Amino acid sequence: MPDQAAHPRPDQAPPVPGRLRLNVTSDPANLASVRHACEAYCRQCGLDEAAAGDVGLCVNEAMANVIRHAYFGATDRPVEIAGWSDAVAVYVSIRDWGSGQVPKLRSKRDPLTPGGLGMVCLRELLDDVVYEPQPDGMLLTMTKRRA
Amino acid sequence: MAVELKTNSRWLPAARSDGDAVVARVAGEIDLNNSPELRGELFNLLGRQPPRRLILNLADVPYMDSSAIAVLVEVLQKMRKTGGKVWLTNLQPRVQGLIEIARLGTIFAVARDESEALSTKSP
């Protein structure tokens, strides 16, 4: 079991403003509602509009990666999204039960080369991104620090 | 004289031919769910003979993700094959931010609005 001390889990987070928990299928039609829910949750946690938008985009990109690379386009597989916060940051995790492969962060030197932009967004807009392979899939935890 | 062009997608609600340009309005939040439809509609619009300039008005696009950026890049590459140019206008803050992250701000021509894009001479 990986050491998770550096990444607070929901049971370690303070109860206020509450936790976010979404269970959806791996259908691209769910991207917008998940993105909107995560952005609203970030605003409730006190993030400003721009920071909440950054998290929304990264959740969108991470979930799109799950759909394409963990579930190979299947639209009926489970995706669980959780959000929590503490005094330092807001955290969003995405759990899938797919291929278990850690997405590669490619250096994107040529902007016209397709692919890889989603991971660039995660790297540039978030403070921490941790992929933890699970016996039956993947747990991604994303951290956005408070300003 | 501008000529209205038929479109069949809520994500591309209006388009017109204006001189050597095709001007199209994109609308909505564009992500992996609807970017394939937008791609198909844009490629239908360009047809077999792409115009000299394609001007995409993004005033009604508050959000797009990397799949939408990929569509724009694909359209740009099709246009470049025939010496054409793609203009993006009326960029909203989140879209502009993503274009900067993608380092595409100097690859697409960017204009404040349709008028500015139309009044700028092609190189």
Side-chain angles (χ1 to χ4, degrees):
Chain A
M1 184 78 179
D3 178 12
Q4 298 179 355
H7 302 284
R9 306 245 58 93
D11 58 355
Q12 297 170 320
V16 177
R19 298 164 188 166
L20 173 73
R21 190 167 292 277
L22 304 167
N23 290 286
V24 299
T25 57
S26 55
D27 191 327
N30 291 322
L31 283 170
S33 58
V34 168
R35 179 172 74 238
H36 295 159
C38 288
E39 289 170 3
Y41 178 74
C42 287
R43 287 192 292 269
Q44 283 175 21
C45 292
L47 295 190
D48 64 25
E49 197 66 33
D54 288 348
V55 174
L57 173 60
C58 291
V59 167
N60 181 127
E61 296 297 340
M63 186 169 156
N65 278 343
V66 167
I67 294 168
R68 288 185 289 208
H69 304 304
Y71 289 142
F72 305 107
T75 59
D76 60 349
R77 303 297 308 280
V79 183
E80 184 180 278
I81 299 100
W84 66 100
S85 68
D86 59 19
V88 176
V90 177
Y91 311 88
V92 177
S93 68
I94 299 181
R95 174 76 158 99
D96 70 68
W97 288 262
S99 65
Q101 293 182 340
V102 177
K104 291 193 176 97
L105 179 56
R106 291 176 282 173
S107 85
K108 196 164 170 57
R109 294 202 176 121
D110 177 7
L112 296 180
T113 302
L117 179 57
M119 291 299 291
V120 172
C121 290
L122 267 65
R123 184 184 62 195
E124 294 202 7
L125 299 177
L126 299 174
D127 295 294
D128 200 16
V129 177
V130 177
Y131 281 91
E132 296 174 88
Q134 306 292 302
D136 53 358
M138 182 64 70
L139 175 64
L140 162 65
T141 303
M142 299 177 279
T143 301
K144 183 74 171 176
R145 290 188 185 278
R146 298 178 185 279
Chain B
M1 191 179 85
V3 178
E4 296 299 317
L5 301 173
K6 183 172 163 40
T7 62
N8 293 304
S9 169
R10 60 184 285 205
W11 316 115
L12 199 74
R16 68 181 192 276
S17 175
D18 192 334
D20 67 351
V22 165
V23 183
R25 188 160 63 84
V26 185
E29 296 190 0
I30 311 297
D31 62 24
L32 183 62
N33 187 47
N34 51 13
S35 59
E37 182 180 326
L38 176 64
R39 178 191 179 280
E41 193 65 17
L42 282 170
F43 274 75
N44 281 342
L45 193 64
L46 295 180
R48 291 183 180 175
Q49 186 61 51
R52 180 88 176 126
R53 294 184 291 167
L54 174 65
I55 299 171
L56 296 176
N57 182 338
L58 303 178
D60 296 324
V61 181
Y63 172 87
M64 62 171 55
D65 73 1
S66 64
S67 72
I69 293 288
V71 169
L72 296 182
V73 167
E74 211 177 337
V75 166
L76 174 73
Q77 288 172 328
K78 181 176 175 68
M79 289 288 292
R80 280 182 165 183
K81 280 182 186 166
T82 53
K85 193 167 184 178
V86 178
W87 288 83
L88 306 179
T89 78
N90 304 80
L91 293 181
Q92 300 304 298
R94 295 184 73 177
V95 173
Q96 183 156 10
L98 185 57
I99 284 173
E100 285 168 9
I101 291 172
R103 295 190 292 137
L104 290 167
T106 56
I107 291 174
F108 287 99
V110 176
R112 188 177 60 250
D113 54 29
E114 288 180 14
S115 300
E116 184 178 290
L118 281 166
S119 64
T120 303
K121 295 280 186 194
S122 292

